[in-house]
């Protein structure tokens, strides 16, 4: 492969360096394009644009490969745990036993959330969607932690990472507690991170809470599977907001908002609502498959298709098995799962889906597991956000440490040319 790409505009040739990644991904470095040619590239949805060089996550959508820091997602989901994977993503290496203990202990230092945050929560109506509340509460953490972090000071950055991991989990569960009218719970530093999620969500002051190890194991796996996915919509948002040197909480709050949309993290809620609707209307999966294929119908098969994976999403494979295991161990016989399986089977054999390389994505099965665990549907995307948090932190940190410039795309203006202003009585 040549290390130079040549571009010809109006008979004049320009040369640009070709960059090759560790996994032989190829990019044309157009950093000097506008300066040298006066032209820009136009790439709506950034389907062909790399925004950065990154050492965090590698994914090959054609082959269905996903790796964090060089470790396969299958290995990590099968052999590691969420806190260890968080450490790996954020700091680049798997922790030693001592590093992991220190990480957990430092998180424990920050698990109390300022009591005044409760006044903010009280201002939300009970009907508010938890993702909206979570975005606001995350942003509010900035007000309680106004000091900006020196990203080049290792200790400061370490403390900021632990503080974010601690407080985000607590406020994420508070969005649910508020909606239910339950008292807001405190983190229990004698228990693990994922056990804490369960007790923060479901523990009541009236009786001791015992989390189910099957549920905790499955949740841990789900968080690992969601922990990073390179430059997706919410992560790019976190990086671009942070590129203006906005703080970590403000950047993550923006990531939460980006994740909320039904084309991104909100798809896990949308999948379950779709499956429930199919069930309510008689369980005819093929009817909905036909709707999804009909260009006149805006309906899309939620949980199918992916911007990058044009093959089976490797996370969906792991989740599909986890769904079977969890439902079996919890003794849940969910008709929704039968509908999901039927939909998947039919879609995978259907020419429309095959020709467009539309496979089930990570969200197709996650909602079914969450439902079996007793997690309310409107909390599904919040769980995605908890899982994605270490990825957002890792990407924010990398962007700042690498001193990336402020993110500021250009555009091609196609509006009105210069025209004369008319006073209101002449319009
Ligand atoms: N159902 C039916 N048709 C679909 C679907 C779907 N779920 N997804 C894509 N298509 C069709 C499109 O209509 C289009 O058809 P055409 O070429 O005849 O016009 C073709 O497949 C390509 O679709 P695009 O929208 O161009 O693909 P893009 O890469 O922009 O979108 C996306 C990817 C947003 C994920 C899309 O597949 C989708 O909307 N899926 C459903 C929502 C979903 O599950 N999102 C979760 C993504 S994973 C995550 O964020 C964690």
């Amino acid at each position: 492969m040549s290390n130079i790409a040549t571009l010809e505009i109006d008979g004049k040739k320009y040369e640009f360096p070709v960059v090759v990644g560790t996994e032989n991904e190829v990019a044309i470095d157009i950093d000097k394009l506008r300066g040298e040619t006066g032209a820009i590239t136009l790439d709506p949805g950034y389907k062909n644009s790399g925004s950065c060089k990154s050492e965090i996550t590698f994914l090959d959508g054609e082959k269905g490969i996903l790796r964090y820091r060089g470790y396969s997602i299958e290995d990590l989901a099968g052999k590691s745990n969420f806190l260890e994977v968080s450490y790996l993503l954020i700091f680049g290496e798997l922790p030693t036993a001592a590093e992991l203990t220190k990480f957990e202990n430092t998180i424990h230092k920050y698990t109390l959330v300022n009591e005044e945050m409760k006044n903010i929560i009280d201002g939300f109506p009970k009907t508010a969607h938890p993702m909206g509340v979570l975005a606001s509460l995350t942003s509010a953490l900035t007000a309680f932690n106004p000091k900006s972090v020196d990203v080049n000071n290792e200790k400061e950055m370490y403390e900021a990472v632990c503080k974010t991991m601690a407080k985000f989990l607590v406020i994420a569960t508070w969005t649910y507690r508020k909606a239910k009218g339950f008292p807001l719970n405190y983190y229990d530093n004698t228990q693990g991170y994922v056990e804490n999620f369960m007790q923060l969500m479901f523990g009541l002051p009236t009786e001791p809470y015992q989390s189910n190890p099957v549920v905790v194991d499955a949740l841990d796996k789900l968080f690992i599977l969601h922990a990073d996915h390179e430059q997706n919509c919410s992560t790019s948002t976190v990086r671009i907001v942070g590129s203006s040197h906005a703080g970590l909480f403000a950047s993550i709050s923006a990531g939460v908002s980006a994740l909320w949309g039904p084309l991104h993290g909100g798809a896990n809620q949308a999948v379950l609502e779709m499956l429930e609707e199919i069930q309510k209307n008689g369980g005819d999966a093929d009817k909905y498959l036909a709707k999804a294929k009909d260009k006149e119908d805006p309906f899309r098969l939620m949980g199918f298709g992916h911007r990058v994976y044009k093959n089976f999403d490797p996370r969906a494979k792991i989740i599909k098995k986890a769904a079977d295991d969890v439902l079996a161990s919890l003794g849940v016989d969910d008709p929704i799962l039968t509908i999901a399986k039927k939909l998947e089977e039919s879609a995978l054999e259907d020419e429309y889906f095959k020709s467009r390389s539309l496979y089930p994505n990570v969200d197709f099965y996650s909602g079914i597991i969450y439902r079996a665990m007793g997690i309310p549907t409107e909390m599904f995307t919040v769980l995605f956000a908890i899982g994605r948090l270490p990825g957002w932190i890792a990407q924010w940190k990398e962007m700042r440490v690498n001193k990336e410039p402020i993110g500021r795309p250009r555009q091609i203006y196609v509006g009105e040319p210069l025209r004369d202003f008319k006073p209101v009585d002449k319009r």
Side-chain angles (χ1 to χ4, degrees):
M1 155 98 44
S2 161
N3 55 3
I4 297 288
T6 310
L7 175 71
E8 190 172 322
I9 308 177
D10 274 346
K12 201 167 165 210
K13 287 189 175 162
Y14 303 90
E15 291 191 334
F16 297 96
V18 170
V19 178
V20 182
T22 23
E23 295 293 338
N24 296 321
E25 292 170 295
V26 177
I28 302 162
D29 177 352
I30 55 157
D31 190 39
K32 302 215 162 33
L33 177 69
R34 187 168 176 274
E36 292 187 5
T37 68
I40 60 166
T41 56
L42 188 61
D43 186 20
Y46 311 120
K47 289 188 181 189
N48 309 283
S49 294
S51 59
C52 59
K53 288 183 195 165
S54 178
E55 296 180 0
I56 302 170
T57 289
F58 170 69
L59 84 84
D60 182 329
E62 275 74 31
K63 295 195 185 128
I65 294 174
L66 174 62
R67 291 180 206 143
Y68 300 157
R69 303 278 189 186
Y71 295 100
S72 79
I73 192 65
E74 291 80 7
D75 255 4
L76 292 171
K79 299 174 187 164
S80 191
N81 62 61
F82 181 58
L83 270 196
E84 201 172 69
V85 168
S86 301
Y87 188 97
L88 169 72
L89 283 166
I90 298 168
F91 300 109
E93 294 295 340
L94 283 168
T96 60
E99 284 167 339
L100 188 60
T101 306
K102 181 181 166 202
F103 188 47
E104 207 161 359
N105 287 342
T106 316
I107 289 175
H108 291 164
K109 256 171 60 183
Y110 295 111
T111 44
L112 266 183
V113 173
N114 194 306
E115 286 291 302
E116 286 185 42
M117 284 282 283
K118 292 182 177 173
N119 298 332
I120 301 175
I121 297 180
D122 277 344
F124 287 99
K126 278 205 169 63
T127 49
H129 193 284
M131 281 298 274
V133 180
L134 180 60
S136 307
L137 293 181
T138 310
S139 179
L141 285 174
T142 314
F144 293 92
N145 300 272
K147 194 177 163 299
S148 59
V149 180
D150 176 358
V151 288
N152 298 310
N153 179 325
E154 242 174 69
K155 176 149 184 357
E156 259 189 51
M157 196 59 225
Y158 187 83
E159 297 289 320
V161 165
C162 295
K163 189 187 272 189
T164 308
M165 290 288 296
K167 300 203 187 291
F168 190 81
L169 183 73
V170 177
I171 60 171
T173 61
W174 280 4
T175 64
Y176 166 73
R177 304 287 292 194
K178 157 75 187 176
K180 287 283 163 209
F182 291 142
L184 304 181
N185 270 346
Y186 295 91
Y187 195 102
D188 174 355
N189 285 350
T190 64
Q191 290 189 46
Y193 195 80
V194 181
E195 281 97 335
N196 259 294
F197 168 77
M198 292 303 288
Q199 75 83 17
L200 280 158
M201 282 281 290
F202 300 114
L204 295 176
T206 43
E207 56 196 70
Y209 180 79
Q210 190 59 51
S211 53
N212 180 334
V214 173
V215 169
V216 170
D217 272 6
L219 255 186
D220 199 287
K221 201 182 288 250
L222 281 162
F223 287 156
I224 293 174
L225 296 179
H226 285 92
D228 195 49
H229 213 231
E230 52 117 300
Q231 307 312 315
N232 56 85
C233 178
S234 57
T235 302
S236 300
T237 302
V238 170
R239 280 184 93 122
I240 208 164
V241 172
S243 77
S244 73
H245 293 197
L248 187 51
F249 289 131
S251 307
I252 284 170
S253 161
V256 172
S257 297
L259 188 72
W260 190 2
L263 297 191
H264 189 15
N268 57 14
Q269 175 172 344
V271 169
L272 208 88
E273 285 166 355
M274 172 187 82
L275 293 173
E276 280 169 350
E277 188 191 313
I278 299 176
Q279 186 195 23
K280 210 169 70 203
N281 291 325
D284 186 354
D286 289 335
K287 189 174 117 196
Y288 283 83
L289 214 62
K291 266 166 79 62
K293 295 192 294 184
D294 180 357
K295 288 283 158 206
E296 302 303 311
D297 192 324
F299 175 79
R300 277 192 168 196
L301 202 55
M302 298 315 285
F304 262 77
H306 197 278
R307 168 58 64 80
V308 181
Y309 289 119
K310 303 302 170 197
N311 197 328
F312 224 98
D313 181 339
R315 301 166 301 172
K317 274 191 197 162
I318 301 171
I319 290 193
K320 186 178 172 180
K321 174 155 184 342
D324 284 336
D325 293 350
V326 170
L327 268 63
S329 25
L330 294 179
V332 175
D333 182 14
D334 192 343
I336 291 277
L337 185 65
T338 316
I339 295 174
K341 285 195 166 151
K342 169 82 184 77
L343 259 185
E344 186 198 346
E345 233 172 66
S346 306
L348 288 176
E349 279 170 13
D350 191 290
E351 204 35 48
Y352 174 96
F353 289 88
K354 280 206 295 203
S355 63
R356 289 169 179 76
S357 303
L358 299 170
Y359 294 89
N361 60 46
V362 67
D363 289 320
F364 192 67
Y365 281 101
S366 61
I368 295 166
I369 307 189
Y370 293 149
R371 183 168 127 120
M373 291 171 175
I375 312 270
T377 314
E378 65 280 9
M379 282 298 284
F380 289 1
T381 316
V382 171
L383 267 84
F384 193 154
I386 295 170
R388 184 53 54 88
L389 179 68
W392 288 333
I393 298 173
Q395 301 270 353
W396 186 93
K397 179 169 167 280
E398 180 180 74
M399 178 273 308
R400 288 297 308 274
V401 169
N402 288 350
K403 300 193 171 31
E404 284 176 20
I406 186 165
R408 203 298 188 187
R410 288 198 172 255
Q411 61 163 22
I412 293 294
Y413 176 69
V414 292
E416 294 286 343
L418 181 66
R419 46 185 174 161
D420 289 332
F421 178 83
K422 282 190 194 135
V424 69
D425 56 332
K426 300 266 175 356
R427 283 173 215 160

